[in-house]
C-alpha cells in the first residue's frame, strides 16, 4: 500500500498516511506534501524498461 506525506498549515509537523486515507485527512485541512513513494518493485521495473530501450 502506498504511503503519502501530509502537512497541516497550522502545524510544523508532517505525517505519513496510507494513500486510501488521504480524503479523510484532507477533510480535516491536511494537504499532500509529496507524491506517493514508489515501491522497490516499481522502481526496479522502471530501470529495467529504461535499460531495454
Amino acid at each position: 500500500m502506498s504511503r503519502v506525506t501530509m502537512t497541516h498549515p497550522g502545524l510544523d509537523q508532517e505525517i505519513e498516511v496510507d494513500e486510501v486515507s488521504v480524503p479523510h485527512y484532507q477533510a480535516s485541512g491536511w494537504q499532500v506534501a509529496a507524491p506517493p513513494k514508489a515501491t522497490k518493485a516499481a522502481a526496479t521495473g522502471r530501470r529495467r524498461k529504461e535499460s531495454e530501450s
Side-chain angles (χ1 to χ4, degrees):
M1 182 171 294
S2 295
R3 304 283 288 172
V4 177
T5 302
M6 300 189 80
T7 59
H8 193 283
L11 301 172
D12 291 333
Q13 175 184 352
E14 289 187 346
I15 60 172
E16 193 171 290
V17 301
D18 290 332
E19 188 174 20
V20 297
S21 300
V22 169
H24 169 78
Y25 283 92
Q26 286 177 324
S28 298
W30 290 86
Q31 302 167 350
V32 175
K37 297 176 184 174
T39 62
K40 185 175 180 180
T44 301
R46 252 193 321 271
R47 280 194 298 270
R48 187 175 306 123
K49 288 177 185 174
E50 289 171 359
S51 63
E52 291 173 356
S53 6

